[in-house]
Amino acid sequence: MTKVALIVLMACMLIASSHAKATLTCDQVTIWLTPCIPYGMLGGSVSPMCCQGVHSINAAYKNGDDRRLACQCIQDKAAQIPLLDYTRVNQIGELCGSECPYKVYPSTDCSKVK
């Protein structure tokens, strides 16, 4: 391979990696965070399974697209749960010792999550 071809190949790889798409799916987010629903509705203690899911999702973020997808997924799914308390939902990350990069409310604009 010539030096020019190698440089072009490397440039293409860098451009492609800078435009990476989300690697998470809403199904993964839903599975990981479903154990958090009882706390979001009723309060009490956050379950270890919920915290495990929070840690899993935070570890799975590869880029901003992943965070935006997760935000939108959580927002869409949360809207389907009657009696969900968004204040409690937004406390879960801290209670699990894992910072969430955004707050989820019905009014959250997930497209602005970085």
Side-chain angles (χ1 to χ4, degrees):
M1 184 176 284
T2 68
K3 287 183 182 181
V4 173
L6 183 59
I7 291 170
V8 170
L9 177 62
M10 289 175 63
C12 289
M13 290 172 60
L14 285 172
I15 291 169
S17 68
S18 69
H19 295 289
K21 296 292 181 198
T23 57
L24 284 177
T25 67
C26 189
D27 287 341
Q28 287 173 306
V29 172
T30 302
I31 289 166
W32 283 331
L33 298 183
T34 294
C36 300
I37 294 171
Y39 177 79
M41 292 178 65
L42 306 171
S45 298
V46 177
S47 74
M49 291 292 291
C50 172
C51 288
Q52 182 179 350
V54 170
H55 290 288
S56 294
I57 194 169
N58 282 335
Y61 291 140
K62 301 293 184 224
N63 53 47
D65 286 333
D66 284 335
R67 287 184 287 281
R68 286 184 287 279
L69 178 139
C71 175
Q72 191 63 57
C73 177
I74 294 165
Q75 188 178 45
D76 292 346
K77 299 294 183 178
Q80 299 172 15
I81 302 171
L83 305 176
L84 189 68
D85 182 326
Y86 285 89
T87 300
R88 281 196 289 259
V89 168
N90 288 304
Q91 293 170 343
I92 292 172
E94 183 179 331
L95 292 171
C96 290
S98 186
E99 187 176 324
C100 182
Y102 47 83
K103 298 289 185 194
V104 177
Y105 295 100
S107 60
T108 300
D109 184 352
C110 293
S111 70
K112 294 183 179 177
V113 170
K114 296 186 181 214

